[in-house]
Amino acid sequence: MFHKNLGPLISAEEMTRCIHCTRCVRFGQEIAGVMELGMIGRGEHAEIVAFVGKTVDSELSGNMIDLCPVGALTSKPFRYAARTWELVAAQVGVAARLRSAATSSCR
């Protein structure tokens, strides 16, 4: 399987994990309202690909990474560096520290 360029946010390096559930395709069509991904081929030759000459650039494209049940689609900026829930926990920690600093300075 060759490298597929799906855009600036989505990395398709782990597409051998794909179980062809088409969640990413359906999300793009039904929720985001754009047809950026599709399935070609049948049976064992089926593949999830971007349309010819296109990349996944919609505002909601990062959500496709979270929808993938097997981790075939990964985040390019944070690949093997951080998980989504780790980033959220870090932001919550920073916000809590800012809040506690603000309340202690008001006293």
Side-chain angles (χ1 to χ4, degrees):
M1 190 171 287
F2 60 93
H3 172 71
K4 301 174 191 174
N5 182 18
L6 293 183
L9 289 178
I10 301 174
S11 173
E13 297 292 324
E14 305 289 336
M15 287 307 282
T16 53
R17 295 180 182 176
C18 185
I19 57 172
H20 304 115
C21 67
T22 65
R23 284 185 184 180
C24 53
V25 176
R26 289 181 289 136
F27 177 83
Q29 292 173 351
E30 297 170 11
I31 307 298
V34 290
M35 291 185 60
E36 296 176 320
L37 289 178
M39 181 179 257
I40 61 169
R42 296 179 66 178
E44 66 182 49
H45 302 290
E47 291 183 57
I48 302 289
V49 296
F51 290 117
V52 177
K54 302 275 184 178
T55 58
V56 182
D57 295 323
S58 74
E59 298 161 348
L60 301 174
S61 63
N63 292 339
M64 292 179 189
I65 298 164
D66 295 331
L67 282 173
C68 187
V70 294
L73 300 176
T74 55
S75 174
K76 272 187 185 176
F78 300 109
R79 188 180 164 115
Y80 302 128
R83 301 279 187 194
T84 305
W85 53 88
E86 291 172 351
L87 295 172
V88 171
Q91 291 172 355
V92 169
V94 168
R97 277 185 271 152
L98 289 174
R99 209 175 3 233
S100 67
T103 55
S104 64
S105 66
C106 292
R107 292 181 186 174

